[in-house]
Amino acid sequence: MGSSRFTKLLANSFKLATSDLANQYALPVKSMTGLVVSNYTAKKSRNLNEKVVESMNPGRDDFLFEIGFGRGDAMKMCYDRVKDGRGMVFGVERSGYMNEKATKRFVLEIAETDKIRIDSAVDLRNLPYPTDLFNHVFHVDLFYFLQNDALIDINRELLRVLKPGGILTCGMEFRRLKTLTEHGILEETQWDPLRYLWALEQAEFSDVQINYHTDPKMGEYQLITARKTADPLDGQNPEELMKKLEMDMKKERLAIAMMSDKKDTGGDFS
């Protein structure tokens, strides 16, 4: 009986520890666990961040935006690309702890160059930026924690702040994510790339695709990319466009006819 109680207590303790790790992985808070998890995540994702920035190949005058910047490693890589030009690096982070860490890390760059801007965004469906601002939007280890009912609207907001022709890039490393799933930190359905590809398409991104790459240091990694079309008609079905045009013309003719009837009868529509 005593052994059974001990086994149950041990199992419950393991569940609590795993749950805490999962929560800290999704949203680190200022604590010993948060420090360990954030350091571990930064170390494991550094190579992937490098590959994401390399794939974007930002120019010195580009405006870049990272969602969920963690300790700010990718932001530093981007800053090094734009510091001698007119470009800027923006970032939002839900975790107040990570926001504080990154702000302290870049205190000189923020004060002296004004080329790094760090913001908080409680709701990614309402970003504090104007339309058509960024050449690149990117994230690593983010969409796994976004609910399905918000994912499409979040991507629509990312589409809004991208410049026409701008690119969204998402970095993934299936091997590391599978390990986190085996340890109970993530569910496989959370990081299923098809879930994110579908949301990007529903948000009306163009050229949505996932590409597989191999690197000697990290093995295989994946990049999801999508584009904001520079042509409002690009990628749309010609038949659907004609139907929409026909419907718009019918509405216009109806409005003209109603206005004509109003003039002829001297009546109103109130």
Side-chain angles (χ1 to χ4, degrees), residues 177-224:
L177 295 171
K178 286 178 181 176
T179 300
L180 291 171
T181 299
E182 291 169 359
H183 293 162
I185 306 301
L186 288 175
E187 296 288 339
E188 190 167 350
T189 53
Q190 288 179 260
W191 56 268
D192 181 356
L194 295 180
R195 182 171 80 95
Y196 195 55
L197 292 169
W198 171 81
L200 288 168
E201 290 176 346
Q202 293 299 307
E204 300 185 356
F205 273 92
S206 300
D207 300 333
V208 178
Q209 55 187 287
I210 180 169
N211 291 300
Y212 294 73
H213 306 269
T214 303
D215 178 76
K217 290 191 295 185
M218 58 186 296
E220 188 180 79
Y221 64 97
Q222 299 75 33
L223 295 179
I224 293 175

Side-chain angles (χ1 to χ4, degrees), residues 10-26:
L10 189 62
N12 288 337
S13 298
F14 178 76
K15 287 180 181 178
L16 288 172
T18 301
S19 177
D20 185 37
L21 285 173
N23 291 334
Q24 293 284 2
Y25 191 81

Side-chain angles (χ1 to χ4, degrees), residues 113-266:
T113 71
D114 198 31
K115 285 189 171 294
I116 291 182
R117 172 168 168 168
I118 292 175
D119 296 301
S120 296
V122 177
D123 188 349
L124 292 176
R125 293 168 293 189
N126 294 288
L127 295 171
Y129 307 120
T131 299
D132 299 342
L133 178 62
F134 300 110
N135 301 91
H136 295 277
V137 171
F138 68 100
H139 54 84
V140 172
D141 292 335
L142 173 80
F143 82 84
Y144 328 140
F145 309 109
L146 303 178
Q147 297 298 319
N148 279 333
D149 57 357
L151 197 52
I152 296 174
D153 287 338
I154 289 172
N155 281 315
R156 285 191 179 126
E157 183 69 347
L158 299 181
L159 183 72
R160 180 186 70 80
V161 298
L162 266 174
K163 290 182 177 180
I167 302 294
L168 177 144
T169 305
C170 163
M172 302 183 68
E173 193 178 352
F174 288 174
R175 183 177 61 179
R176 180 163 57 88
L177 295 171
K178 286 178 181 176
T179 300
L180 291 171
T181 299
E182 291 169 359
H183 293 162
I185 306 301
L186 288 175
E187 296 288 339
E188 190 167 350
T189 53
Q190 288 179 260
W191 56 268
D192 181 356
L194 295 180
R195 182 171 80 95
Y196 195 55
L197 292 169
W198 171 81
L200 288 168
E201 290 176 346
Q202 293 299 307
E204 300 185 356
F205 273 92
S206 300
D207 300 333
V208 178
Q209 55 187 287
I210 180 169
N211 291 300
Y212 294 73
H213 306 269
T214 303
D215 178 76
K217 290 191 295 185
M218 58 186 296
E220 188 180 79
Y221 64 97
Q222 299 75 33
L223 295 179
I224 293 175
T225 57
R227 180 173 61 89
K228 179 174 181 175
T229 179
D231 182 351
L233 303 182
D234 185 27
Q236 295 197 37
N237 187 308
E239 293 184 3
E240 292 181 359
L241 283 173
M242 290 304 297
K243 287 180 181 178
K244 185 177 183 302
L245 178 61
E246 183 180 353
M247 184 63 68
D248 289 343
M249 291 174 66
K250 286 181 179 179
K251 290 179 180 178
E252 185 177 354
R253 286 197 296 266
L254 178 60
I256 292 173
M258 291 175 68
M259 291 300 296
S260 178
D261 289 343
K262 179 179 177 181
K263 289 178 181 179
D264 291 343
T265 62

